[in-house]
Amino acid sequence: MEHGSFEEQSKATFSLTDEDHTLANAVRFTLNQDPRVTFCGYSIPHPSDAQVNIRVQTTGDPAREVFNDSCQDLMLICEHVRGTFDQAVLKFKTGKGLSAMDIRK
């Protein structure tokens, strides 16, 4: 089975339904952190459609693989932020996060 040429695999547009700028911009950010990415951008075809198109061009690695890796990176970032937030809330609730100034108020 032919999988396309080297150049064809390094360029792709991914369409995500039921999404908007929130996810698209975060994915774009993580993609642009990857040194394998030569171009990344997204567009929303129409404001009334909950769909985004993310275009990825790489230095040669398959765009699908790079896109998948970036989504995994974004998931890890979100897990880290959530864990840090949960720890801060717990610390605050147990009173360990309050300073002397906070107690006087």
Side-chain angles (χ1 to χ4, degrees), residues 82-98:
R82 180 60 190 251
T84 302
F85 177 78
D86 288 345
Q87 287 176 352
V89 168
L90 182 61
K91 199 173 182 181
F92 179 80
K93 286 182 178 180
T94 60
K96 296 177 183 174
L98 297 174

Side-chain angles (χ1 to χ4, degrees), residues 43-61:
S43 64
I44 296 181
H46 193 277
S48 66
D49 291 338
Q51 178 182 347
V52 295
N53 295 324
I54 301 175
R55 177 73 176 169
V56 180
Q57 294 177 4
T58 71
T59 56
D61 291 341

Side-chain angles (χ1 to χ4, degrees), residues 15-103:
S15 293
L16 307 176
T17 56
D18 296 327
E19 296 299 342
D20 59 15
H21 291 282
T22 305
L23 181 65
N25 195 41
V27 171
R28 182 199 57 79
F29 173 82
T30 57
L31 280 163
N32 279 320
Q33 301 302 305
D34 192 321
R36 300 174 293 175
V37 174
T38 59
F39 173 81
C40 175
Y42 76 89
S43 64
I44 296 181
H46 193 277
S48 66
D49 291 338
Q51 178 182 347
V52 295
N53 295 324
I54 301 175
R55 177 73 176 169
V56 180
Q57 294 177 4
T58 71
T59 56
D61 291 341
R64 177 178 282 187
E65 178 183 305
V66 174
F67 182 78
N68 187 49
D69 291 348
S70 286
C71 289
Q72 292 292 326
D73 291 345
L74 181 58
M75 219 167 39
L76 291 172
I77 291 168
C78 290
E79 287 172 3
H80 174 74
V81 169
R82 180 60 190 251
T84 302
F85 177 78
D86 288 345
Q87 287 176 352
V89 168
L90 182 61
K91 199 173 182 181
F92 179 80
K93 286 182 178 180
T94 60
K96 296 177 183 174
L98 297 174
S99 69
M101 276 307 251
D102 294 331
I103 294 170

